Amino acid sequence: MNAGTFKTVDIVSLGCSKNLIDSERLMAQLKANNIRVTHDAEKPKGEVVVINTCGFIGDAKEESIETILQFAKLKKKGRIKKLYVMGCLSERYREDLTESIPEVDKFYGKFDWNGIVTELGATYRRDLMSERSVTTPGHYAYLKISEGCNRMCSYCAIPLITGRHTSRPMEEILGEVEKLAKDGVKEIQVIAQDLSSYGTDLYKENKLAELVDKMAQVEGIEWIRLHYAYPAGFPKDLLPVMAKHKNICKYLDLAFQHISDNMLKKMRRKITKEQMVELLKEIREQVPGIHIRTTFIAGHPGETEADFEELKEFIREVKFERLGVFPYSHEEDTYSYKNYEDDVPDDVKQKRADEIMEIQSEISQEINNEKIGKKMRVIIDREEEGGYAGRTEFDSPEVDPEVIIETEKEMKVGEMYEVEITSAEEYDLIAKY
């Protein structure tokens, strides 16, 4: 088989933005071999389909398996010739999947996907290891600064999939930022499984503040947004850097997961309620106006009604600007799976998650109402009927609210404008230009 045998390869990405970057790197390799590549096409037309899977929690695994089965049917019908699967799900369950879905030609894990290039008769080029074919709109891109996690929280399968935390060299990251800026990217979403540990393996000390400080000095980068930090061991020297640079968004994705000391201990979070409250206070004092995104887990083994009531009261009191919640998923081989009974019924988990989101919707409405009448800078993501949709520095793509701009004037996608907020919904803002 040679590279010319297949004219087009369709890549389907599932799960998080970290997966998306792996897909983008595969796309760059295939394009370098003169193979035409499409990404998440509505109706894939390629002779080869590569599915990049997620294996984080139950719902994500289910979506990945359903997608594989959907394309397996197409292969049976002769609509596609080859089907490959890569990513977190096949890293974790490769043997079981190989046996149960024989229609897949080959399964690859999260770190050996480069074998797909060879499988297609092409040449994997090591000089392009850091190259990506960016699939996001041209004005923003994700940037992964490390891989893996050493935290070993009770509920989390990520360390089982990704292995130990490994930082990318700072020079390599900054080189990628400079290249993205030259390509017209204005907004960088900095991501990792554990942002708070950047540099501790490679440089024997935390280097996140230094890295972000240098990124902020790259010409052309107008927004830098930080995702997936841990409260335990959070590098507080990052805060003055965030306050100093106008192009570092006043935004931080910081996963709390729970607040009662009972649950924090069961979850193996290595931090107490008192320490988390103090950290939150310090962040808001040092970076005035910051919007914090966090996540919580409802129904972890051992969560009592008292624990849950304490969590709800904390959320009401603290008023996070952005918040998500997941019903607990009992994942194989995690500490929880081996040591705890999954003792909170599924309907109770969902009920608790719904209760949290009801509280958060009221908080979000209250915070949004305070923005009415203010002028805010937005980046335009797309044109809509009667106007445009954009985001403020407080909004990350895909997961956060949008600003719906009602205007008859022309605005350009990817450009930044100052708009006036005229009204507010629970999550989205309405503005005029």
Side-chain angles (χ1 to χ4, degrees):
M1 183 193 308
N2 56 58
T5 303
F6 299 114
K7 295 180 180 179
T8 304
V9 174
D10 288 316
I11 296 178
V12 179
S13 287
L14 305 172
C16 67
S17 50
K18 294 178 283 295
N19 257 20
L20 181 64
I21 288 176
D22 292 338
S23 294
E24 291 175 344
R25 287 185 174 146
L26 173 58
M27 290 173 68
Q29 289 285 342
L30 295 177
K31 287 180 178 181
N33 281 274
N34 298 316
I35 296 174
R36 192 162 60 244
V37 186
T38 65
H39 180 260
D40 282 349
E42 285 187 21
K43 292 184 178 179
K45 298 176 182 177
E47 299 162 289
V48 179
V49 172
V50 179
I51 304 171
N52 190 358
T53 58
C54 179
F56 178 39
I57 58 175
D59 289 347
K61 290 190 288 188
E62 189 174 320
E63 180 191 15
S64 292
I65 290 169
E66 286 177 359
T67 303
I68 297 169
L69 292 174
Q70 171 192 336
F71 282 98
K73 286 180 182 177
L74 293 180
K75 190 184 175 201
K76 274 186 176 179
K77 293 177 181 178
R79 298 267 296 277
I80 58 175
K81 293 181 180 177
K82 293 285 183 180
L83 176 60
Y84 300 102
V85 173
M86 61 183 273
C88 294
L89 187 79
S90 53
E91 178 73 30
R92 201 170 170 202
Y93 301 107
R94 192 179 323 208
E95 289 184 15
D96 292 342
L97 290 168
T98 300
E99 187 176 329
S100 58
I101 314 178
E103 293 83 2
V104 174
D105 289 278
K106 199 162 184 178
F107 288 91
Y108 294 86
K110 183 168 176 59
F111 302 104
D112 62 347
W113 56 259
N114 54 334
I116 294 172
V117 180
T118 309
E119 186 75 17
L120 293 175
T123 302
Y124 181 79
R125 291 178 49 181
R126 297 192 65 82
D127 60 313
L128 299 179
M129 281 175 65
S130 296
E131 290 292 315
R132 293 158 54 192
S133 181
V134 176
T135 59
T136 47
H139 54 280
Y140 75 83
Y142 294 98
L143 179 77
K144 184 159 53 173
I145 66 170
S146 65
E147 187 77 73
C149 181
N150 298 345
R151 301 283 181 167
M152 302 305 290
C153 299
S154 64
Y155 49 84
C156 188
I158 286 175
L160 304 174
I161 299 168
T162 62
R164 295 189 64 78
H165 177 263
T166 307
S167 302
R168 291 177 64 194
M170 195 178 297
E171 303 77 30
E172 182 182 298
I173 295 169
L174 293 171
E176 185 171 355
V177 174
E178 289 169 0
K179 183 180 186 305
L180 289 169
K182 286 177 183 175
D183 290 342
V185 171
K186 295 183 174 70
E187 178 185 1
I188 300 287
Q189 320 293 339
V190 183
I191 59 173
Q193 279 88 11
D194 177 10
L195 212 65
S196 296
S197 294
Y198 176 75
T200 53
D201 57 323
L202 201 56
Y203 304 106
K204 308 308 175 191
E205 61 179 322
N206 197 293
K207 289 285 188 177
L208 183 62
E210 182 181 338
L211 173 65
V212 174
D213 184 56
K214 288 181 177 179
M215 285 174 58
Q217 297 173 52
V218 175
E219 187 176 347
I221 298 301
E222 298 194 42
W223 279 353
I224 296 168
R225 192 175 287 104
L226 305 175
H227 286 274
Y228 318 126
Y230 273 73
F234 180 83
K236 294 180 182 178
D237 60 343
L238 173 67
L239 301 177
V241 173
M242 293 183 73
K244 177 176 74 170
H245 291 286
K246 288 186 177 179
N247 62 346
I248 300 178
C249 296
K250 303 301 180 277
Y251 178 106
L252 182 63
D253 193 337
L254 185 66
F256 273 59
Q257 307 300 21
H258 217 285
I259 197 59
S260 86
D261 283 324
N262 174 44
M263 292 313 301
L264 291 171
K265 187 175 181 180
K266 284 184 180 297
M267 289 179 167
R268 308 175 88 203
R269 294 291 284 171
K270 299 181 176 67
I271 195 168
T272 65
K273 177 180 181 177
E274 183 181 357
Q275 289 170 327
M276 290 215 290
V277 170
E278 185 58 37
L279 174 62
L280 191 56
K281 180 183 176 184
E282 196 168 342
I283 291 170
R284 285 179 164 170
E285 283 178 352
Q286 289 204 43
V287 190
I290 192 169
H291 281 41
I292 296 175
R293 158 167 280 282
T294 196
T295 52
F296 291 100
I297 295 174
H300 182 282
E303 184 185 56
T304 65
E305 284 294 339
D307 292 322
F308 181 60
E309 288 301 320
E310 186 176 353
L311 175 57
K312 288 195 295 181
E313 184 56 35
F314 174 72
I315 292 169
R316 289 191 190 100
E317 182 181 330
V318 168
K319 296 183 178 178
F320 288 101
E321 290 80 9
R322 308 280 181 256
L323 183 148
V325 60
F326 299 94
Y328 169 79
S329 179
H330 207 45
E331 292 299 309
E332 298 99 323
D333 298 324
T334 59
Y335 183 89
S336 287
Y337 190 85
K338 293 176 179 177
N339 294 278
Y340 302 142
E341 180 187 350
D342 189 9
D343 59 355
V344 180
D346 288 344
D347 60 334
V348 174
K349 292 176 190 174
Q350 190 60 55
K351 180 175 178 291
R352 289 178 180 177
D354 292 343
E355 282 185 49
I356 289 173
M357 289 315 298
E358 283 176 21
I359 294 168
Q360 182 60 26
S361 67
E362 293 177 8
I363 293 169
S364 181
Q365 182 73 69
E366 180 184 332
I367 290 170
N368 277 357
N369 287 344
E370 293 172 358
K371 294 173 180 172
I372 296 173
K374 292 184 178 180
K375 291 187 175 179
M376 302 185 77
R377 193 178 185 217
V378 299
I379 192 164
I380 304 302
D381 281 336
R382 66 182 185 279
E383 187 173 356
E384 295 217 322
E385 190 176 345
Y388 297 83
R391 290 173 291 106
T392 70
E393 67 173 301
F394 309 121
D395 305 307
S396 188
E398 309 291 339
V399 296
D400 288 326
E402 293 182 311
V403 181
I404 307 303
I405 304 149
E406 298 171 340
T407 183
E408 293 182 2
K409 297 178 184 177
E410 183 181 355
M411 303 177 88
K412 291 184 178 179
V413 171
E415 295 296 323
M416 292 186 173
Y417 299 85
E418 191 175 79
V419 300
E420 183 180 340
I421 307 303
T422 56
S423 62
E425 298 176 352
E426 276 184 12
Y427 294 105
D428 293 338
L429 296 170
I430 312 300
K432 66 179 181 180
Y433 172 70

